Amino acid sequence: MKKSYLWSAVKAALIVPTVAGLSMQAAAQQTPADNDLEVIQVRGIVSSLKRAMSDKKESLIVSDGIAAEDLGKFPDLNVAESLQRITGVSIDRSGGEGQFVTVRGFGPQFNNVLVNGRQLATENPGREFSFDVLAAEIITGANVYKSTNATLQEGGIGATINVSTARPFDYEGFRMAGSLKGTYEDLNEKTSPSASFLVSNTFDDDKMGVLLALSHQKRDVDINSIGTSGWRPGITVSNTAGDVLASNIYIPRNVDHISDVQERTRTNASLVLQYAPTEEVSITFDGFLSEFEVDSVQHDLAAWYEPTRVGSVEFDEATRTATYIDQVGGNAATDFVESTGNRRDVSIEAFGLNVEWDIRDNLKANFDVSTSTAENDTSDGNTYFTVIGIVNNYQTTLENGSFLTLHDGITSAGLLSSDLGRAHVYGKSGDNDKDEITELKADFVYLPDSDTFTRMTFGAYYQDREKSIQNYSHTNNLGQMFGLFGGYRVPVPEGTLTPYTANNFFSGVTDTWYTYDAAGFFDVLASNTEMQAANDASLGLAPGSTAAVIAANNAWAPERLDDFSIISEEVTSLYMDFVFQGDLGDMPWTVNLGARYSETTTSVNGVERILDDVIATSDTTLFANVFSDATLPVTKGGSYANLLPSVNFKLDVQDDMVLRFSIYDSLTRPTLSQLSPATNIGEPRLQNLTASGGNPALKPFKSENWDLSFEWYFADASSLTFAYFNKEVDDFIVTLRGDESFVLADRSNTVGNICGNCAEDDLPPGAVVADELQGISENFLVSRPQNGETAEVNGFEVAITHVWDNGFGFTANATVVNSNAAIDTSNVAQTFALEGLGDSQNLIVFYEQDAWQARIAFNNREAFLQTLSAGTGEPEFVDTYGQWDASASYDINKNVTVFFEGINLTGEETVKHGRFANQITQIQDTGTRYAVGVRASF
């Protein structure tokens, strides 16, 4: 990558003192809220609240935070679960655990997440950070900076979230803590273990310190769901005779009953070494490792809906949504799907070297070098999608806000004969997403000898980031192997299908169907000569043809596809920040102003596959893509620069009252996956040819913001706060969908420019030469991102916390968010709306007295738009979701505590819907969890 002149200058400023051995203490110690703060020893609920309030009150900017209640004891099961208790913060869950964070209506890609002041690499294709890779036991606190100043790394329009981990110099002498816990899942009625251990010590008159933290957790979890991949708009439905039954209605793409059986294993390790050779220099080295593996097997009873084989349909006149639809004839089949698409295999490594140097009494320098890598690798051949079906009729009814799907002969009381099972489609795929970040920082703090001009902070920052996105599949010509046995033509061997009953599935719906050993069935397909011969015969192929295709493609072994991309990003920043103080009458004031200048250079390298044809298969609803052996290399690049000023004003109206006003500019860079230049062709289906592509010319989102807040600390550990915020965001990135024509070279060699196997002698049995299989070119509906939209977001937050002398206390807060970019469901042509925008409320009631602690918490997130353009191009909403959690503990003595936790006590379900409320897309149940354990601290 070509280096900027600014980077050349900054590199010298960063490297020279670093090589000299002067590296900064963890940048977490230099966040805007942490300058000159009183150190409060945290132990217990009330002490945790006091620490968080102290940080908030002393901060130069608008912020909120949470603190660990003791060494190795965080308030919730993971960091995201605790962050959702903060005003303005909402979370998205995976497997019942908090994974992504939304702040003030801005989703995870808009929030800059730091760990100890550093940006940690993420395994996701974009910039969003997965909090479920972090064990709560190694966290000492987290601050959410909702406004900003020049010292904070740019990138978060929503917020900057800094998560802190323990350091040996944070504690005096020897400390040790550990916990053992068992967690019971009520859906599968299983109990899983977890354990954590932390030891810290200082030596040589506290000049040296070492801290080691380990955490291991295993969860066996079932996730039950009913849903569809989307509602198809504007559909004309007919029966197999061609009689039109209804026009311009919404029908579901599919309706599935899914039992997702997961084993989630998370292991974290952290090592910190600190050395203070003199009173002026403190050196810190730290390393962090995280392994997070989700083994997921989905057992699925599936109904696939095609508009040309409908026996009967009913629909809601107001929304044109099908409320009853069936499939009769036309090779419709009850599908038994086995898949592992929700797998994750995440590994993260992070290392850093830091030193804090007091050059003079009034001049301090911090230097920091860090590197982190994250990888999610599911390319090992264990990610698969398989279908065995029984040709059958079925129906779906929408009633009482839920699906009721019935398959003929498939009930909880009995099943159709397993001898009716027929092979259909089989595929292996995977991804290898890798992120590498290297950061260099130099920060200086100058304290002038002045009562008014009290601080100047200045410095430089450099980041080099590379994100690689690689896709794997069984073959580059996906359809050739995926649909090799497609069409329900070939019987499966006796004993393949076995009955399966989902654990504690939804009441009143079918909970029993067939399953099979999908991983082993690939070997059956590759070796069973009777199935291969039956496939040849049903297709009219010469004996051995199926076996030859399998051998030529190395069975279904996945290989890296020809299309991949590597996105490189280089960021160089300089900043200056000033603090002035004085008095307005008897009210102390503080003004913090500064600016941050940033240059960003991107280069994107990729390879794009060339589509040569779309051909027929025996399944009339499914086609196959044929790609050229040649590929098209794509290389793009760009750069941009931004100046981000900020002004923060703080007025201490009284000793216990603070008034704040902030005005500042911020930015969020484009999601890295959106920069990929390659066009990815989707699975081709009848009336549904789709593709997607990125845009390496994307510019960052830019926002002009202002905040006004009032804080009243009216008693010890009690406060009342109110905040109003306004954000005007330009260059919003939107995904536009439009028709693009693809010239199919192979059709130039056929009579009539039909597909390569559409001639009468070559056409697979049962196949029909649909419109998509004729013509020298085909129109695909292609999704691509581009800048251009503007949005204003505003709202307010109110929070109150109070603790009584009798040990009882509560905290309650609410956030209201509004925008001129909300979705209008009546506008089907709308291409932009702010996702994640929604109000939220929290209530926590607690008791802490002597050896007892107890807490019950309610978190409510009101309905919001999750995706403007889901799988069928339609929006998807999440309904209002409220969850009750509880915990209690008893201190046996000053060292040992026993505890209880309950999560989602009322068993709330996540419900999603499409454009209209009656278009249910998912009902998901993760169940209730209970945990008991013991914690010790010495």
Side-chain angles (χ1 to χ4, degrees):
M1 179 187 298
K2 183 180 179 181
K3 307 293 184 183
S4 68
Y5 292 111
L6 178 59
W7 156 236
S8 300
V10 170
K11 183 177 179 180
L14 292 171
I15 293 297
V16 172
T18 303
V19 173
L22 301 175
S23 172
M24 66 184 284
Q25 187 183 9
Q29 316 303 321
Q30 282 295 314
T31 54
D34 293 334
N35 295 314
D36 304 325
L37 293 187
E38 175 188 3
V39 177
I40 299 174
Q41 183 65 39
V42 176
R43 183 179 175 86
I45 298 174
V46 175
S47 295
S48 173
L49 290 173
K50 288 181 179 180
R51 170 62 187 272
M53 287 183 187
S54 176
D55 287 355
K56 180 179 179 67
K57 184 178 180 182
E58 299 301 324
S59 175
L60 293 174
I61 61 179
V62 179
S63 68
D64 285 288
I66 48 178
E69 296 172 9
D70 197 359
L71 185 64
K73 181 187 177 185
F74 214 60
D76 292 278
L77 293 183
N78 74 14
V79 183
E81 297 285 345
S82 288
L83 287 173
Q84 71 173 331
R85 317 292 181 194
I86 293 176
T87 54
V89 179
S90 303
I91 66 172
D92 294 307
R93 292 178 172 86
S94 171
E97 298 182 54
Q99 182 181 20
F100 297 125
V101 168
T102 293
V103 182
R104 290 179 167 179
F106 287 86
Q109 70 272 27
F110 292 98
N111 300 306
N112 200 21
V113 179
L114 311 176
V115 177
N116 294 323
R118 304 176 182 130
Q119 189 163 19
L120 196 65
T122 172
E123 82 282 5
N124 297 298
R127 300 181 188 274
E128 58 275 13
F129 181 79
S130 299
F131 281 90
D132 55 5
V133 302
L134 297 178
E137 291 85 356
I138 68 170
I139 305 301
T140 59
N143 287 310
V144 180
Y145 300 109
K146 300 175 182 177
S147 66
T148 191
N149 66 12
T151 66
L152 269 179
Q153 180 181 331
E154 73 279 358
I157 287 179
T160 296
I161 302 171
N162 185 55
V163 177
S164 303
T165 60
R167 298 281 192 261
F169 282 0
D170 294 341
Y171 311 98
E172 293 183 2
F174 177 80
R175 292 292 305 275
M176 183 172 65
S179 67
L180 293 173
K181 181 170 65 176
T183 301
Y184 173 81
E185 311 272 346
D186 79 331
L187 288 185
N188 60 18
E189 302 177 3
K190 292 182 178 180
T191 300
S192 303
S194 63
S196 68
F197 174 76
L198 185 150
V199 60
S200 175
N201 203 0
T202 56
F203 315 91
D204 191 17
D205 295 328
D206 294 332
K207 292 182 180 179
M208 299 182 64
V210 59
L211 183 146
L212 174 66
L214 301 171
S215 174
H216 180 76
Q217 182 189 65
K218 178 178 178 293
R219 275 188 66 204
D220 291 315
V221 56
D222 283 15
I223 304 170
N224 294 333
S225 62
I226 301 175
T228 175
S229 58
W231 286 83
R232 301 176 63 189
I235 299 298
T236 297
V237 299
S238 60
N239 57 28
T240 54
D243 301 321
V244 174
L245 305 180
S247 300
N248 191 30
I249 66 171
Y250 287 87
I251 69 170
R253 170 76 283 182
N254 58 296
V255 179
D256 295 0
H257 294 187
I258 302 173
S259 171
D260 188 354
V261 179
Q262 296 186 358
E263 181 181 284
R264 303 167 72 92
T265 306
R266 175 173 50 233
T267 302
N268 282 186
S270 176
L271 175 66
V272 185
L273 305 175
Q274 290 189 288
Y275 175 52
T278 69
E279 293 183 358
E280 291 78 23
V281 176
S282 178
I283 304 172
T284 301
F285 169 81
D286 57 276
F288 170 75
L289 302 176
S290 175
E291 299 284 343
F292 185 41
E293 185 174 356
V294 179
D295 288 328
S296 163
V297 178
Q298 291 188 104
H299 310 287
D300 186 350
L301 172 65
W304 186 267
Y305 282 93
E306 285 296 335
T308 56
R309 58 188 187 198
V310 177
S312 178
V313 65
E314 299 174 9
F315 58 91
D316 176 58
E317 290 284 353
T319 64
R320 309 292 297 178
T321 300
T323 56
Y324 172 89
I325 188 171
D326 61 16
Q327 297 280 269
V328 178
N331 209 37
T334 294
D335 287 333
F336 310 110
V337 182
E338 295 288 307
S339 63
T340 57
N342 288 335
R343 291 181 63 220
R344 293 168 67 188
D345 191 356
V346 179
S347 59
I348 298 176
E349 297 180 356
F351 301 95
L353 177 64
N354 319 296
V355 176
E356 179 181 353
W357 178 27
D358 293 347
I359 302 173
R360 299 197 304 266
D361 289 344
N362 65 346
L363 181 61
K364 299 180 180 180
N366 289 320
F367 303 93
D368 184 77
V369 180
S370 65
T371 181
S372 65
T373 61
E375 184 176 21
N376 184 26
D377 187 1
T378 58
S379 62
D380 56 3
N382 292 318
T383 303
Y384 54 75
F385 180 88
T386 68
V387 180
I388 292 176
I390 294 178
V391 174
N392 196 23
N393 299 330
Y394 44 86
Q395 62 189 38
T396 292
T397 304
L398 272 179
E399 59 180 27
N400 300 322
S402 182
F403 289 109
L404 178 60
T405 299
L406 301 175
H407 298 255
D408 291 356
I410 305 290
T411 69
S412 300
L415 301 175
L416 293 170
S417 171
S418 61
D419 294 339
L420 299 174
R422 299 292 184 267
H424 189 38
V425 292
Y426 306 91
K428 289 188 176 181
S429 60
D431 301 287
N432 188 338
D433 297 331
K434 189 173 183 179
D435 193 17
E436 299 180 35
I437 295 178
T438 299
E439 291 183 313
L440 303 175
K441 301 180 185 180
D443 299 286
F444 301 87
V445 178
Y446 172 64
L447 304 175
D449 185 14
S450 169
D451 293 334
T452 303
F453 176 28
T454 58
R455 182 186 304 154
M456 178 176 69
T457 308
F458 57 96
Y461 169 82
Y462 171 76
Q463 181 188 100
D464 185 30
R465 185 172 194 174
E466 182 175 280
K467 176 85 74 171
S468 62
I469 302 172
Q470 298 181 350
N471 301 315
Y472 288 74
S473 186
H474 42 262
T475 176
N476 270 319
N477 286 325
L478 304 180
Q480 187 176 24
M481 293 297 289
F482 187 66
L484 184 61
F485 288 87
Y488 312 103
R489 296 170 288 101
V490 178
V492 300
E494 182 179 354
T496 298
L497 295 178
T498 58
Y500 172 81
T501 299
N503 291 318
N504 291 299
F505 207 66
F506 302 93
S507 62
V509 300
T510 304
D511 64 355
T512 300
W513 55 88
Y514 282 120
T515 187
Y516 51 95
D517 176 15
F521 196 64
F522 282 98
D523 294 333
V524 173
L525 294 171
S527 61
N528 190 301
T529 56
E530 290 184 9
M531 288 189 68
Q532 295 170 4
N535 195 56
D536 290 337
S538 66
L539 293 174
L541 301 175
S545 297
T546 298
V549 171
I550 293 173
N553 288 280
N554 192 22
W556 281 264
E559 60 186 40
R560 195 185 79 175
L561 299 181
D562 290 333
D563 57 333
F564 66 91
S565 58
I566 299 175
I567 302 104
S568 299
E569 183 177 78
E570 186 181 275
V571 177
T572 310
S573 303
L574 300 173
Y575 75 89
M576 295 192 72
D577 191 74
F578 305 90
V579 177
F580 300 90
Q581 294 179 313
D583 296 303
L584 181 62
D586 58 354
M587 297 183 294
W589 57 263
T590 302
V591 173
N592 166 222
L593 58 89
R596 189 176 186 96
Y597 176 76
S598 175
E599 288 185 357
T600 304
T601 303
T602 60
S603 66
V604 186
N605 296 284
V607 172
E608 181 177 309
R609 292 182 294 165
I610 301 173
L611 182 66
D612 277 350
D613 202 355
V614 178
I615 61 175
T617 71
S618 295
D619 184 343
T620 57
T621 70
L622 176 68
F623 309 132
N625 292 322
V626 176
F627 293 96
S628 170
D629 293 334
T631 57
L632 179 66
V634 182
T635 301
K636 302 286 184 179
S639 63
Y640 50 86
N642 300 95
L643 180 64
L644 305 172
S646 61
V647 178
N648 296 282
F649 174 75
K650 175 184 175 183
L651 181 67
D652 293 330
V653 181
Q654 295 179 179
D655 289 342
D656 58 358
M657 292 185 182
V658 178
L659 182 67
R660 302 178 189 274
F661 176 75
S662 300
I663 185 168
Y664 54 96
D665 288 355
S666 58
L667 65 79
T668 290
R669 296 181 177 89
T671 298
L672 290 168
S673 56
Q674 291 180 319
L675 298 173
S676 174
T679 299
N680 299 307
I681 307 298
E683 181 184 73
R685 287 192 172 272
L686 183 68
Q687 302 176 14
N688 193 27
L689 300 181
T690 61
S692 62
N695 181 359
L698 290 174
K699 297 180 293 183
F701 307 81
K702 296 185 287 290
S703 181
E704 296 180 355
N705 321 272
W706 61 270
D707 294 64
L708 178 66
S709 70
F710 172 77
E711 303 158 13
W712 179 25
Y713 302 91
F714 57 88
D716 190 30
S718 299
S719 66
L720 173 67
T721 63
F722 177 85
Y724 181 86
F725 57 90
N726 188 85
K727 299 177 180 291
E728 297 182 12
V729 186
D730 293 327
D731 288 327
F732 246 108
I733 297 172
V734 296
T735 299
L736 300 182
R737 295 163 64 92
D739 286 336
E740 294 185 19
S741 179
F742 287 74
V743 176
L744 306 177
D746 284 1
R747 295 190 185 178
S748 63
N749 301 318
T750 63
V751 177
N753 300 132
I754 58 176
C755 78
N757 67 347
C758 285
E760 184 175 352
D761 293 340
D762 300 324
L763 196 65
V768 177
V769 183
D771 291 341
E772 292 87 348
L773 305 178
Q774 306 177 59
I776 195 67
S777 64
E778 291 295 341
N779 286 333
F780 281 66
L781 186 62
V782 182
S783 302
R784 296 188 187 278
Q786 71 176 36
N787 294 101
E789 297 290 344
T790 299
E792 182 174 354
V793 178
N794 55 60
F796 65 87
E797 303 166 343
V798 60
I800 182 170
T801 299
H802 184 58
V803 179
W804 287 279
D805 294 337
N806 60 6
F808 284 96
F810 77 95
T811 180
N813 62 62
T815 302
V816 176
V817 185
N818 300 294
S819 175
N820 62 357
I823 187 171
D824 177 6
T825 56
S826 66
N827 181 7
V828 296
Q830 186 172 358
T831 59
F832 171 63
L834 190 60
E835 300 169 347
L837 195 71
D839 301 339
S840 60
Q841 303 85 32
N842 285 284
L843 173 65
I844 303 173
V845 179
F846 58 86
Y847 174 80
E848 183 177 53
Q849 193 84 318
D850 300 325
W852 289 96
Q853 290 185 355
R855 169 173 38 206
I856 185 167
F858 177 69
N859 171 260
N860 187 69
R861 185 177 186 184
E862 296 187 16
F864 65 95
L865 173 68
Q866 186 175 56
T867 306
L868 178 62
S869 180
T872 58
E874 285 288 294
E876 185 172 50
F877 297 82
V878 179
D879 288 359
T880 297
Y881 179 88
Q883 179 171 304
W884 288 92
D885 304 324
S887 63
S889 65
Y890 175 72
D891 298 332
I892 297 175
N893 53 45
K894 68 176 184 179
N895 301 117
V896 181
T897 300
V898 292
F899 61 89
F900 162 83
E901 297 166 337
I903 297 92
N904 192 18
L905 295 175
T906 56
E908 295 301 311
E909 300 166 354
T910 301
V911 179
K912 301 180 182 181
H913 69 266
R915 182 175 297 275
F916 304 107
N918 63 345
Q919 294 178 349
I920 303 299
T921 57
Q922 185 186 62
I923 304 170
Q924 185 182 84
D925 181 16
T926 57
T928 300
R929 305 198 302 275
Y930 303 98
V932 294
V934 59
R935 183 184 299 109
S937 178
F938 302 92

